[in-house]
Amino acid sequence: MGGITVALVAQVMGFLLWFLGVRDLGPVTASSISILVPASAYLFALLILGKVPTEMEVIGSAITLTGVLISQLRA
C-alpha cells in the first residue's frame, strides 16, 4: 500500500509542477526543461542510490544538457 501512495504522490506532484511551470515559464521553456528529466534521474540515482551511470548515459545526458542550453540561449 505504501508504494502505491508514493507513486500517486509522485504523479500528482509531477503534473502539478508541470502545469505550474507551463503557466509561469511558458510552454516553450517548460517543454525544453522537461527534457532534463532523464539526466536528473541519473544524478539522483547517483546521489541517493549510489548507482554510477554508464558511459552512454553520461554521453546522452551531456548531449541533452547541451541541447537544452542551446535552446534556452536562442529563446
Side-chain angles (χ1 to χ4, degrees), residues 2-73:
I4 293 173
T5 304
V6 170
L8 287 174
V9 169
Q11 286 294 314
V12 169
M13 289 301 296
F15 279 110
L16 177 64
L17 292 173
W18 168 253
F19 288 115
L20 289 173
V22 170
R23 183 190 70 193
D24 294 343
L25 302 172
V28 174
T29 302
S31 294
S32 297
I33 292 172
S34 73
I35 296 171
L36 297 176
V37 171
S40 63
Y42 297 131
L43 176 65
F44 287 122
L46 176 65
L47 295 175
I48 296 170
L49 303 174
K51 182 189 176 300
V52 178
T54 66
E55 183 179 323
M56 290 304 291
E57 292 170 341
V58 171
I59 291 169
S61 295
I63 292 169
T64 300
L65 292 172
T66 301
V68 171
L69 177 65
I70 291 169
S71 72
Q72 293 304 303
L73 291 175

